[in-house]
Amino acid sequence: MSDLELSVMAKDTDRAKPLSGRWVWNAVLPAALVALLLGFAAFDHGVLSPANLLNIAQQTSYLALFAMAQTVVILTRGFDLALGPTVSMVSVGTALAMAGATATGHDTSVVLFAGLGAGFGLGIACGLFNGVVIALLGVNPFVATLGSYNIAIGIATTLSSGRPVQGVPKLFSQIFYGGSVFGVPAAIVITVVIGIALHLILSCTVFGRSLYIIGTNPRAAAVAGLPVKRILVATYVLCSGLAALGAIMMTARTGSGEPNLGGALSLQAIAGAVVGGTSLAGGRGGVGTAVLGALFITILSNGMNLTRIDGYVQMVVLGAIVIVGVLLDRLRLERGQ
Amino acid sequence: MSTARVTAGPQSSIGLRSIAGRIGFLPALLLLLVAAMSATDPQFYGIINILNILRNASLLAIVACGQALVIVAGGFDLSVGAVVALASVVTAKTMATTATAFPGNTALIIASGVAAGLGCGMVVGLVNGFCVAKLKVSGFVVTLGTMSATAGVGLMITNGIPVYGMPDIFVKGFGRAQAFGLPTAVHVALIVILVMVFAQRRTLFGRYVYAIGGNVDAAVVSGVSIQRHIVGTYVVSSVLAALAGILLTAQVGSGQASFGGDRMMLQSIAAAVIGGVSLRGGVGRVEIVAISALFLTILGNALNLLHVDSRLQPVFLGVIMVAAVALDELSRRRKARV
């Protein structure tokens, strides 16, 4: 992050703003969401059908999970460009472990644990690598995660030989994709539970609060006696762990380990977090901003699909939305002050 | 992150040690790689392979030089890969259209195509610069947005199908031609690097870019027009990316929306960073970035010749990138302690 951006965005302490101004600007994005939904509904009544709304919620739950993962590191002025490749790597690893365990004739529960263990193991290893390189070696997060981006892609495609990995047991897909609690699909349940837990961690624990302090003023955090390096490592592990969970859910959805499952996810997750109002200058954002941003992007692409807007045009619109979203956020901050 | 260090540019002291310190370990690493490869595989120093390496390195170096300039000013340009694609498509399409309107008028056809290609690079650069400098949106986000939009426009124009119909002389007489035994791209890259070196050291623009990246507040106080120069860096970066796109189009003989892409963008940042450009801004020189582009290209070529699985190759790139920057960071800390 540049000095210019920081000096511009460093005024972001939004704690001491007059309440009214904050309230109006905070309502902009939710209002835009509703307007978007109604606008698309005017073109196609299918948009507001219960089936499509459930579909939107389910699609959002994956992106929201990744946006939350990204938000955690962005809070500390970091990035995780490697999130997408981590997802691919975890997907391949999980599928391979389960296929291997099935082939050696193990029990179904052992197979499931092998898959989950391999998936989370790979995710946490990736997070540890990022965290150690960034916090202990002092490498810029952009470069460090760009490095692990390449490494994870290499591992994912090498392990899978570039082909989808078959042999994921039915039960795995039934639990993490087909399953439901009181009629609510598993993906939504998992994301909601994780979202609440993460919100509590961010707002009520020392670890969570220290992320905000590190993002707002790293030097002050160090002077105040926080173990900044250890917290940063834990942050990146948490981010990759959440990414691994999302990868496991997506693997259950496709029913195979996909070496290019992650694709553009890194940037999509960053876009989701940022559009929702997470500040790249650190210290501002949370579960709410991540979910809002993910919801916005999902509704936008869902609506454009239903109204049959060309996929290439969608790319242009998405790009413009990201910029406008951040611009609105900056205006919100300035007005609020 | 906001601690600004003003180590802008070259000092006047000349001495072997200071030169070695300034250039760093990259050329040594490059020589080592070349020597090792020449010893293990005679194919490596075959003339075809060398020309191939130089051609690819030139394209990467052109894009990386622009990227380096933006990073020195404290920004990022994620859109360069998409600009390469867009410029390629627009150039080819314009040439094909002009060729049907004015058949036989080769000079006009080529001029209009190249102008259109560079023009669309300039437009993207202006949009980037405007959003960053005037609207104060973070460079990362802006170029993330324009990357998606630019790639979308490129695909929209072509529907993903290669565009043919360029005049023969543009492909055979320019793109695939060789002067003094070197491909055109190499000459263009050398010119670009020389101009950029001159701009960085001898022009106000170059000096101000260092000043802005080193310490924005100090630059403002000294009366540097921040906005104009930041727009300038993004325009230079996009126009150079467009130039690389045009060269690639001339070489391949068709305009394709699949040129450049994320790979080119990531490699250009990798080249800049391995070439000693600090992501904190204010530090970095294009000639070393060009060497580092050559290094990355030779590395990829070497891995191919050694039959390293192409799927495994990104791992090497990633490890080397992290290691290079970590070493740089550690040595700086040691210096700071003394």
Side-chain angles (χ1 to χ4, degrees), chain A residues 180-228:
Chain A
S180 62
V181 182
F182 302 121
V184 182
I188 302 178
V189 175
I190 296 176
T191 304
V192 167
V193 170
I194 293 290
I196 293 172
L198 188 63
H199 180 72
L200 290 177
I201 291 177
L202 286 182
S203 51
C204 300
T205 66
V206 175
F207 169 72
R209 300 312 304 169
S210 46
L211 295 189
Y212 288 90
I213 302 175
I214 292 174
T216 316
N217 192 338
R219 199 166 292 170
V223 172
L226 284 172
V228 175

Side-chain angles (χ1 to χ4, degrees), chain A residues 162-312:
Chain A
R163 287 186 295 271
V165 180
Q166 305 296 341
V168 174
K170 279 239 167 57
L171 183 67
F172 179 74
S173 291
Q174 276 163 10
I175 294 176
F176 290 101
Y177 178 62
S180 62
V181 182
F182 302 121
V184 182
I188 302 178
V189 175
I190 296 176
T191 304
V192 167
V193 170
I194 293 290
I196 293 172
L198 188 63
H199 180 72
L200 290 177
I201 291 177
L202 286 182
S203 51
C204 300
T205 66
V206 175
F207 169 72
R209 300 312 304 169
S210 46
L211 295 189
Y212 288 90
I213 302 175
I214 292 174
T216 316
N217 192 338
R219 199 166 292 170
V223 172
L226 284 172
V228 175
K229 287 180 179 173
R230 234 185 302 154
I231 292 174
L232 276 183
V233 174
T235 311
Y236 280 92
V237 171
L238 178 62
C239 169
S240 297
L242 288 175
L245 177 64
I248 288 169
M249 284 156 60
M250 283 176 83
T251 309
R253 186 175 68 174
T254 53
S256 57
E258 301 284 341
N260 36 24
L261 191 64
L265 262 183
S266 310
L267 296 181
Q268 263 185 15
I270 295 180
V274 162
V275 166
T278 311
S279 166
L280 284 176
R284 209 167 48 81
V287 172
T289 57
V291 173
L292 263 186
L295 203 56
F296 190 81
I297 289 180
T298 312
I299 289 180
L300 194 69
S301 66
N302 176 280
M304 287 196 290
N305 280 335
L306 283 182
T307 46
R308 291 183 199 82
I309 291 176
D310 187 50
Y312 303 142

Side-chain angles (χ1 to χ4, degrees), chain B residues 212-245:
Chain B
I212 293 171
N215 189 336
V216 155
D217 297 332
V220 172
V221 175
S222 325
V224 177
S225 148
I226 307 285
Q227 297 188 343
R228 210 149 30 99
H229 288 95
I230 288 193
V231 173
T233 58
Y234 281 99
V235 169
V236 168
S237 167
S238 291
V239 168
L240 286 182
L243 181 64

Side-chain angles (χ1 to χ4, degrees), chain A residues 50-263:
Chain A
N52 189 51
L53 287 182
L54 189 67
N55 182 22
I56 289 179
Q58 201 160 1
Q59 282 177 8
T60 305
S61 53
Y62 298 100
L63 187 56
L65 201 57
F66 296 125
M68 281 188 237
Q70 201 65 260
T71 300
V72 173
V73 286
I74 294 180
L75 279 180
T76 65
R77 295 190 184 177
F79 275 127
D80 190 358
L81 288 184
L83 186 130
T86 308
V87 168
S88 306
M89 187 173 73
V90 169
S91 171
V92 168
T94 309
L96 275 178
M98 287 194 292
T102 315
T104 46
H106 282 290
D107 201 39
T108 336
S109 58
V110 179
V111 171
L112 282 189
F113 276 114
L116 291 183
F120 281 113
L122 277 174
I124 288 169
C126 198
L128 265 181
F129 177 85
N130 288 340
V132 166
V133 170
I134 291 167
L136 301 187
L137 299 182
V139 175
N140 178 299
F142 191 93
V143 182
T145 56
L146 191 55
S148 51
Y149 173 102
N150 282 306
I151 296 172
I153 283 187
I155 294 177
T157 45
T158 308
L159 281 181
S160 64
S161 318
R163 287 186 295 271
V165 180
Q166 305 296 341
V168 174
K170 279 239 167 57
L171 183 67
F172 179 74
S173 291
Q174 276 163 10
I175 294 176
F176 290 101
Y177 178 62
S180 62
V181 182
F182 302 121
V184 182
I188 302 178
V189 175
I190 296 176
T191 304
V192 167
V193 170
I194 293 290
I196 293 172
L198 188 63
H199 180 72
L200 290 177
I201 291 177
L202 286 182
S203 51
C204 300
T205 66
V206 175
F207 169 72
R209 300 312 304 169
S210 46
L211 295 189
Y212 288 90
I213 302 175
I214 292 174
T216 316
N217 192 338
R219 199 166 292 170
V223 172
L226 284 172
V228 175
K229 287 180 179 173
R230 234 185 302 154
I231 292 174
L232 276 183
V233 174
T235 311
Y236 280 92
V237 171
L238 178 62
C239 169
S240 297
L242 288 175
L245 177 64
I248 288 169
M249 284 156 60
M250 283 176 83
T251 309
R253 186 175 68 174
T254 53
S256 57
E258 301 284 341
N260 36 24
L261 191 64

